Amino acid sequence: MKKNVPHRLYLTEDQLPRQWYNLRADMKEQPAPIINPSTMKPAVLEDLYPVFCKELAKQEMDSETRYFDIPEEVMDIYKVYRPSPLCRAYHLEKALDTPAKIYYKFEGNNTSGSHKLNSAVAQAYYAKQQGLKGLTTETGAGQWGTALSEACSYFGLDLEVYMVKVSFTQKPFRKNIIETFGGSVFASPSDRTEAGRKILAVDPENSGSLGCAISEAVERAVTTEGYRYVLGSVLNQVVLHQSVIGLEAKKAMELLDEYPDIVIGCAGGGSNLGGLIAPFMQDKIKGKSDPRIVAVEPASCPSFTRGVYKYDFCDTGMITPMAKMYTLGCTFKPSANHAGGLRYHGMSPILSKLYHDGYMEAVAVEQTRVFDAAVQFAKLETILPAPESAHAIRQAIDEALKCKESGEEKTILFGLTGTGYFDMTAYASYNAGNMSDDIPTDEELKPSMDAIPKIPGIQE
Amino acid sequence: MKKNVPHRLYLTEDQLPRQWYNLRADMKEQPAPIINPSTMKPAVLEDLYPVFCKELAKQEMDSETRYFDIPEEVMDIYKVYRPSPLCRAYHLEKALDTPAKIYYKFEGNNTSGSHKLNSAVAQAYYAKQQGLKGLTTETGAGQWGTALSEACSYFGLDLEVYMVKVSFTQKPFRKNIIETFGGSVFASPSDRTEAGRKILAVDPENSGSLGCAISEAVERAVTTEGYRYVLGSVLNQVVLHQSVIGLEAKKAMELLDEYPDIVIGCAGGGSNLGGLIAPFMQDKIKGKSDPRIVAVEPASCPSFTRGVYKYDFCDTGMITPMAKMYTLGCTFKPSANHAGGLRYHGMSPILSKLYHDGYMEAVAVEQTRVFDAAVQFAKLETILPAPESAHAIRQAIDEALKCKESGEEKTILFGLTGTGYFDMTAYASYNAGNMSDDIPTDEELKPSMDAIPKIPGIQE
C-alpha cells in the first residue's frame, strides 16, 4: 500500500546525507581526461594547483573514491538551509488533469536563491583550510556569485566576482546582495584583466559570456597572491558536492515508497542536473533500475542537442585546460535576450560522457514556452521559479501531459533549482509580450564551432 | 533532559494546526468596539458588509469563538508552503557568545516573501466563497500585495493594489511580481480615487502613506460592483489568521521541551506580532506562564512608544471606521527614507489593548541599528532578512547580549517574518553608508496627533 504523501517532505537533521557521492566511481567508462594546453597532454594534479586549492583539485581528479565525507564545518552550514523539501505538485497535477505523479526537489529556499550554495560552502571551506586570502569567480545569472559571497563571508575570505555584463545590467540588485555579503562585483568583460581588455578592444559593447567571465576570474586568481579560482558548475568537484540534492531526494522518495520513472533537470554547466541524478544514475548503471533521465537546455544555448562532443577550452580567452564535452565552441555567446543562466557554451564532462554513452536524453526548449510554464507553476504551486528552473518545469509539464494522453501513471521527479526574485526584468518582459526565443541558426553557430581547437593526434 | 535541538525543525503535515486561535476569547477585557463615523456609535456587523465580505466581517466582530476551523481549501494552500521552520540560531548565538538560546520562526520561504500569505489565502478564499468578482487592497513594502496577488490568482479573483508611492519607486520589481500573478498595481496617492486626487491637489509630490493607500482601496471597493476591500494587518481577523505562526511555533517548541522566556516580534500594524504571540499570550492571561512579550517598532514610526491610546481613523482619508488603538494620528507620514514596511500610523486594537493593560512591552529601534543587525544575521544564518523582520533581530540580539552580561540562559523566540530580496535599494543605501534614522521630533509629530478626532462623550 502506498503511503500518504505530504505536499512537502523534509528529512530530519539526522537523516541528512553525511557524504557526497562521486558518480565517476561507478561509471563504466570514465570521462576523457582534461588536457593541459601548454603540454597538450592530460593534466596532472600539480597542473591544477595554481588555479584551484589543493583539496578541490584532488576531488576534481579523483574518479575512484566513491564517497567523500562532508566536513563538519560544511555540515554546520548545510544544516542552516537544508534539508530542502521534496514536494509533491498536487495543484499542478490537478490543473493538468494528469495521472502522473509530479515531485520536485526545491533548492531555492536560501538567500542565494538556488542550489549553488551547496558547492559554494564546500569550496570556500577548502580554500579557508588551505589558508588562502581570497577567491575569484564568474557568475552568469548571479546565483553562483550570491552563493559564493555568502560562503566567503561565513569563512572570512575576500571575493571578486566577474558577472556577465548582460546579467549585471538586467539584475542590478544581484550586485547589491553580493556586496552586502562583502564581495566585489565587476561587469565582464572588464578592464581589470588582459582577457577582458582584449575583448573590449575589438567590441566595446560586448555583452559578455560565461566563458569570458571565466577567463577574467582565472587570470585574476593566478596573478594575485593568496587567491584561487572557483567555479559554480561544469567541474567534477561541483557535481560531487551537488550530489546532496539527489541523495536527499532519493532518501525522501524511499520514505514514501516512491521511485521516479523520469528524472528531469535543467542543464547549463550541469551541476544541478549532475547532482540530482547522481544516485539514480548509480542505480541505472548498476542495472538496479532504469529511469529515463532528461536534461533540459535552452534552445538559445543548445550544447547537448546541437553541440559536438569534442575537446574545447572551458573559457573564451582559452587560458583554461581543455575538457572533452558537448560544446558550441568557447567563443559562442547566447543572445542577450536570453534570460537567466544556462548560458554556458559547454557541459559537464561527466554528463557529456553519460549522454554520449546513451545513459541520458536531452531536449532544448524555447524561452517563451519556458516562461509559460514558469507562470503556470507559480500560480498553482506559489513558488516563482528562476528562469533556469523553469526549463525543468516545462519538460515536467510536457511529460505529464503525455501521460494524460497515454493514461500512464508515471512518477516524475524534477529539480526546481531556484527562485526568480532577481529575474523580474525577464518576467516583466514576458508579461508585456516582449519575449523572444532567439534560437541560433546553423550559420550563427558555425563560427564558434569552427573555432573549436584542433589537437594533433587527438582531434582534427 | 533536554532534547537535541536541530538547526531547523519542521512539523509534519499532520502536525499542522487545523484551527485558528482567537485571542480575544481569552482576553480579560475586550478591545474597545470600533465606531461607525456616520453614527458615532459602535459599528454593527451590517455596517461592515459594504467593505468586507461577510465571513470576514463576522470574524472581525467575534470575540467569543475561541477556535475557527481552517477551511480545507485554505489548508490545501497552507500545505504548499507551510509548515514554516522553527530555527535555532546556533551561529548567531556563537558569534554573540551568549548563554541565551535564540529561536526564530521563519515565515519568508514563500514567494510573497513573508507571513502575509497566511491571511491573504484566507481572505481570498472567503471572498471567492461569497461569489465576489475582485478585491482591492493597499500595500506598503509590497509583501501584502504580493501575497494577495498569489491568493487571488489561485482562487480566480481580480485584484487592484494601491502601493505607497515611496515603496512603488524603491521596489520596482514588486509591481512586476504582482502583475505576474495577474494583479494590477497603482502608486498611491493615485488619480483613480477622490481620496487620492484630494491629496495630490494639495501636494503633487506626496510620497504616500499606508493610511492614504487604504483610503484609495476602500473607496474603490465600495464604489465597484462585486468588489470588497481586504487589509493585510491591523484587523482582528488578520491577527486571527496569523495565529498559525504562533500555534506552529509553540507546537514545535513543545516537541523540543522548550518554552520562551521572551517572545519578540516586529510591529507595524501588528499582524505578525499578534499571530506569533497568540498562544503564549493565552498562557500568560491564564496564568500558566509569564513570558516577556516585546513589540519592536521603527523609531521613525513609533505608534506604541510615542503614540496615544485613542480612537482614530484607520486611514488618512477618514472614510473607515474608527478604532481605539495606539496612534500617531491618521495623517502621520513616516520619513520617505524609512525603508521597508512598519509605516502604519496605528496599531492592532487587540495588541493596543494588551499593551495598555500591561501584558506586553514595546521598544522603538533606529533604522541603522536595524540594518546592522540584518547584515550580521545574514552573514551568520544565511538568510537576508526583510528590513521589517530585522527589527525583531535587533531586539533579539540586544536581549541575548544582556544575557551575556548577566549570565542568564534565557530562551528567546523571535518572528523572522520575511526576506529582503525586494529591499536591495535599502541595503545598497546601508552599504554605501547613506542610511539615516529620521526619528520625528515631538514638533513633527504634533500636527497629526492634534488631528486625532474628538468624539463627543467618548474622547475630547
Side-chain angles (χ1 to χ4, degrees), chain A residues 6-8 10 13 76-77 79-83 91 109-111 150 153-154 170 172-173 176-177 179-182 375 378-384 421-422 424-425 427-428 431, chain B residues 6-8 10 13 76-77 79-83 91 109-111 150 153-154 170 172-173 176-177 179-182 375 378-384 421-422 424-425 427-428 431:
Chain A
H7 290 67
R8 296 280 180 271
Y10 291 93
E13 194 168 286
D76 277 348
I77 309 194
K79 287 177 193 165
V80 177
Y81 71 96
R82 306 201 68 79
H91 294 296
N109 274 350
N110 66 73
T111 287
E150 287 193 61
S153 149
Y154 185 83
Q170 276 176 356
F173 292 161
N176 300 144
I177 194 166
E179 287 174 350
T180 298
F181 284 100
V375 173
K379 289 182 174 177
L380 292 163
E381 295 286 322
T382 77
I383 298 168
L384 186 83
Y421 307 135
F422 291 91
M424 293 320 300
T425 306
Y427 275 95
N431 293 339
Chain B
H7 290 67
R8 296 279 180 271
Y10 291 94
E13 194 167 286
D76 277 348
I77 309 193
K79 287 177 192 166
V80 176
Y81 72 95
R82 305 201 69 80
H91 294 295
N109 274 350
N110 67 72
T111 288
E150 288 192 62
S153 150
Y154 185 84
Q170 277 177 356
F173 293 161
N176 301 144
I177 195 166
E179 287 174 349
T180 298
F181 284 101
V375 172
K379 288 182 174 178
L380 292 163
E381 294 286 321
T382 78
I383 298 168
L384 186 84
Y421 307 134
F422 292 91
M424 293 321 299
T425 306
Y427 275 96
N431 293 339

Side-chain angles (χ1 to χ4, degrees), chain A residues 211-224:
Chain A
C212 161
I214 293 174
S215 297
E216 294 205 272
V218 172
E219 183 183 324
R220 287 288 299 175
V222 297
T223 57
T224 311

Side-chain angles (χ1 to χ4, degrees), chain A residues 48 191 351 417:
Chain A
L48 302 184
D191 60 3
L351 294 183
T417 54

Side-chain angles (χ1 to χ4, degrees), chain A residues 19 41 109 198 390:
Chain A
Q19 295 182 310
K41 287 193 178 145
N109 274 350
K198 220 189 273 180

Side-chain angles (χ1 to χ4, degrees), chain A residues 74-304:
Chain A
V74 173
M75 280 307 300
D76 277 348
I77 309 194
Y78 277 6
K79 287 177 193 165
V80 177
Y81 71 96
R82 306 201 68 79
S84 72
L86 178 76
C87 311
R88 175 79 183 267
Y90 283 117
H91 294 296
L92 179 61
E93 289 172 18
K94 193 174 163 194
L96 297 175
D97 190 22
T98 175
K101 289 180 283 185
I102 308 176
Y103 288 90
Y104 55 97
K105 180 73 170 160
F106 178 39
E107 291 287 320
N109 274 350
N110 66 73
T111 287
S112 78
S114 80
H115 67 293
K116 296 284 186 184
L117 195 52
N118 301 330
S119 187
V121 170
Q123 296 193 47
Y125 166 75
Y126 289 117
K128 187 66 183 180
Q129 279 297 97
Q130 191 174 319
L132 295 178
K133 187 175 176 299
L135 294 172
T136 69
T137 198
E138 76 297 323
T139 198
Q143 294 177 333
W144 169 246
T146 306
L148 192 64
S149 72
E150 287 193 61
C152 284
S153 149
Y154 185 83
F155 286 112
L157 291 162
D158 292 340
L159 174 66
E160 281 188 14
V161 180
Y162 292 83
M163 186 166 182
V164 178
K165 194 185 279 169
V166 60
S167 288
F168 185 91
T169 312
Q170 276 176 356
K171 305 181 186 189
F173 292 161
R174 279 284 179 200
K175 177 173 179 288
N176 300 144
I177 194 166
I178 293 170
E179 287 174 350
T180 298
F181 284 100
S184 306
V185 194
F186 308 97
S188 169
S190 79
D191 60 3
R192 295 173 56 85
T193 65
E194 276 303 318
R197 287 189 290 269
K198 220 189 273 180
I199 291 170
L200 289 175
V202 181
D203 176 12
E205 301 304 312
N206 190 293
S207 61
S209 69
L210 261 190
C212 161
I214 293 174
S215 297
E216 294 205 272
V218 172
E219 183 183 324
R220 287 288 299 175
V222 297
T223 57
T224 311
E225 181 68 27
Y227 272 66
R228 291 293 184 285
Y229 165 74
V230 295
L231 178 64
S233 191
V234 185
L235 298 175
N236 301 335
Q237 58 189 270
V238 182
V239 173
L240 173 70
H241 304 148
Q242 295 296 357
S243 67
V244 290
I245 305 172
L247 292 168
E248 276 187 19
K250 194 178 172 208
K251 174 89 183 169
M253 294 196 85
E254 277 167 10
L255 294 175
L256 301 170
D257 289 336
E258 287 279 24
Y259 197 91
D261 298 305
I262 312 173
V263 185
I264 299 168
C266 61
S271 76
N272 144 72
L273 180 65
L276 174 68
I277 68 173
F280 302 106
M281 185 61 86
Q282 179 183 38
D283 287 350
K284 187 164 176 143
I285 291 171
K286 293 189 168 182
K288 285 190 189 170
S289 68
D290 193 23
R292 282 176 57 208
I293 292 179
V294 185
V296 192
E297 60 184 15
S300 56
C301 190
S303 44
F304 265 140

